[in-house]
Amino acid sequence: MFIDPQAAQRLDWAKGDGLLPAVIQDADTLRVLMLGYMDEGALAMTCDSGKVTFFSRSKQRLWMKGESSENYLDVVRIEVDCDNDTLLVLARPQGPTCHRGTTSCFATAPGNFLAELDALVARRKAEMPEGSYTSKLFNKGTRHIAQKVGEEGVETALAAVAQGPEELAGEAADLLFHLTVLLRERGLGLADVEALLKARHADPGLLHD
């Protein structure tokens, strides 16, 4: 079940003449992808199929996003706003969301770049394209990647005490990239680290302050 049953029962379908706006957000990068509308049938089909389905106001029928392009939106969960008249759908896109071939229908929609980088590193590991530096790192294995993380950590520390802010930022960027690769090499992602930090934040006994 992608939506809390009690929240679903509270939905105010009458306010929008049977339609609710549905904001689609990338579950990993948090970038807003598009806005559509759902009626009760579209919401039911979305929950049953696991793929975002809208009620098309122009076609006057249910329309599964990706039914022609195969750029489906795989549902992760659905949230309901405080007025029970708007849906927030967290989903993972299978390709571009916009009909123009772009990631989002909103050209400058902000997102979480580190999550995008993590997803790119995961794709590199799955596809291992030739000529990719990331692929070369994966080919050399855990020990080599761990060594690179250690080297970048030392360089970051040295930059902090002996160089300027620009150099420190550059070394920190190198460290974050190689750490992301190491996590993926071991079957983890940045989201796993984020979840652990959130758990520590929620438990005062685990905080490092």
Side-chain angles (χ1 to χ4, degrees):
M1 191 68 180
F2 297 106
I3 185 172
D4 179 82
Q6 293 183 345
Q9 290 180 356
R10 294 194 299 268
L11 289 172
D12 188 351
W13 297 102
K15 187 180 294 186
D17 294 325
L19 294 178
L20 297 182
V23 179
I24 313 302
Q25 187 176 32
D26 190 303
D28 299 313
T29 69
L30 303 183
R31 175 172 292 179
V32 174
L33 301 176
M34 67 176 294
L35 171 70
Y37 291 86
M38 292 186 182
D39 63 1
E40 292 189 67
L43 179 59
M45 183 175 289
T46 295
C47 292
D48 290 343
S49 67
K51 299 187 184 302
V52 175
T53 301
F54 299 108
F55 179 82
S56 171
R57 294 172 298 169
S58 59
K59 300 174 183 177
Q60 287 294 297
R61 66 172 178 84
L62 297 185
W63 167 63
M64 179 180 288
K65 178 70 177 71
E67 64 182 23
S68 57
S69 66
E70 298 188 353
N71 294 328
Y72 299 104
L73 294 166
D74 294 330
V75 182
V76 175
R77 72 176 188 273
I78 302 173
E79 303 285 348
V80 179
D81 80 329
C82 58
D83 290 324
N84 301 307
D85 61 3
T86 302
L87 300 171
L88 175 64
V89 182
L90 293 164
R92 292 193 171 97
Q94 295 185 23
T97 297
C98 184
H99 69 280
R100 298 172 299 178
T102 56
T103 300
S104 170
C105 292
F106 301 92
T108 59
N112 183 337
F113 178 74
L114 286 179
E116 293 181 22
L117 175 63
D118 190 28
L120 176 61
V121 170
R123 289 198 300 273
R124 290 289 188 267
K125 182 169 176 57
E127 300 168 0
M128 296 295 284
E130 293 186 12
S132 164
Y133 173 68
T134 309
S135 297
K136 292 178 182 177
L137 287 173
F138 284 129
N139 278 325
K140 291 182 179 180
T142 303
R143 193 175 294 272
H144 175 79
I145 302 170
Q147 181 180 345
K148 288 294 296 181
V149 171
E151 292 172 357
E152 298 298 346
V154 171
E155 291 177 6
T156 300
L158 290 174
V161 298
Q163 296 180 291
E166 185 175 343
E167 290 79 10
L168 175 58
E171 296 298 345
D174 291 341
L175 175 59
L176 282 171
F177 168 74
H178 287 90
L179 180 58
T180 301
V181 175
L182 180 61
L183 288 168
R184 282 295 168 186
E185 171 66 14
R186 293 301 308 274
L188 297 169
L190 292 177
D192 297 296
V193 179
E194 181 181 6
L196 181 57
L197 288 171
K198 286 181 178 179
R200 290 177 178 176
H201 180 71
D203 186 344
L206 296 177
L207 290 178
H208 293 164
D209 57 6

